[in-house]
């Protein structure tokens, strides 16, 4: 085995590194429910240091606030798994890095922690690009209904986040 992660994740991570390198772009990731999987996938690829600026694993609300500047009142009002928080995480990752693009992931991986409004498998993604209008919210809530396990929710979320990092 020459890669720590599944082939589909490794292949997509390779495309992210190659295409961003060709475009001269640096990337950053702000991860919650994926716990660093996106950054791990990127660093599996030789030459990733030319593209990955940094990753933030902000699993707790306090970490989101302290490391990324996500306002506690935003977390309290909308919940950690929300477009508002994901957008703030992506903006914070850009602000606290030298990256040209940042992707944020926050969600409910399960098996516990879900609610009727945000069941297990609910994941929110946001993308921010340096130089764009910071009010231009590029965020989306997805529900991975077919991802029956914590591992599968995290795997699906990692694939979506990597896809968002393609130029």
């Amino acid at each position: 085995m020459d890669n720590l992660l599944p082939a589909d994740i490794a292949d997509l991570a390779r495309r992210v590194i190659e295409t961003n390198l060709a475009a001269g772009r640096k990337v950053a990731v702000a991860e919650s429910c994926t716990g660093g999987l996106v950054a791990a996938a990127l660093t599996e690829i030789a030459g990733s240091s030319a593209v990955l600026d940094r990753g933030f694993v902000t699993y707790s609300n306090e970490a989101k606030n302290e490391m990324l500047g996500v306002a506690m009142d935003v977390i309290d009002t909308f919940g950690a798994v929300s477009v508002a928080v994901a957008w703030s995480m992506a903006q914070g990752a850009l602000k606290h890095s030298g990256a040209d693009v940042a992707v944020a992931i926050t969600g409910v991986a399960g098996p516990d922690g879900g609610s009727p409004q945000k069941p297990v498998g609910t994941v929110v993604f946001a993308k921010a690009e340096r130089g764009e209008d910071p009010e231009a919210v590029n965020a989306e809530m997805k529900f991975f209904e077919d991802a029956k396990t914590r591992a599968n929710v995290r795997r699906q979320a990692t694939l979506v986040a990597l896809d968002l990092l393609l130029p």
Side-chain angles (χ1 to χ4, degrees), residues 123-139:
V123 184
V124 186
F125 303 88
K127 178 179 179 178
E129 295 194 48
R130 195 165 302 283
E132 76 179 357
D133 178 0
E135 298 304 310
V137 178
N138 183 357

Side-chain angles (χ1 to χ4, degrees), residues 44-104:
E44 276 289 296
I45 310 306
S48 59
S49 59
V51 173
L52 179 64
D53 180 68
R54 68 194 71 190
F56 301 89
V57 178
T58 56
Y59 209 67
S60 69
N61 291 341
E62 292 74 20
K64 289 173 183 66
N65 173 254
E66 292 167 15
M67 294 174 69
L68 299 172
V70 179
M72 291 307 286
D73 63 341
V74 170
I75 295 170
D76 293 342
T77 301
F78 300 101
V81 181
S82 65
V83 165
V85 168
W87 177 83
S88 295
M89 288 170 67
Q91 292 294 328
L94 262 191
K95 182 179 178 185
H96 297 284
S97 74
D100 301 295
V101 61
V103 166

Side-chain angles (χ1 to χ4, degrees), residues 99-150:
D100 301 295
V101 61
V103 166
I105 311 103
T106 182
V108 186
D112 304 316
S115 69
Q117 296 80 25
K118 296 173 188 172
V120 170
T122 303
V123 184
V124 186
F125 303 88
K127 178 179 179 178
E129 295 194 48
R130 195 165 302 283
E132 76 179 357
D133 178 0
E135 298 304 310
V137 178
N138 183 357
E140 181 181 9
M141 184 177 286
K142 289 186 177 284
F143 177 55
F144 299 115
E145 190 171 16
D146 57 337
K148 304 283 187 224
T149 65
R150 180 177 181 82

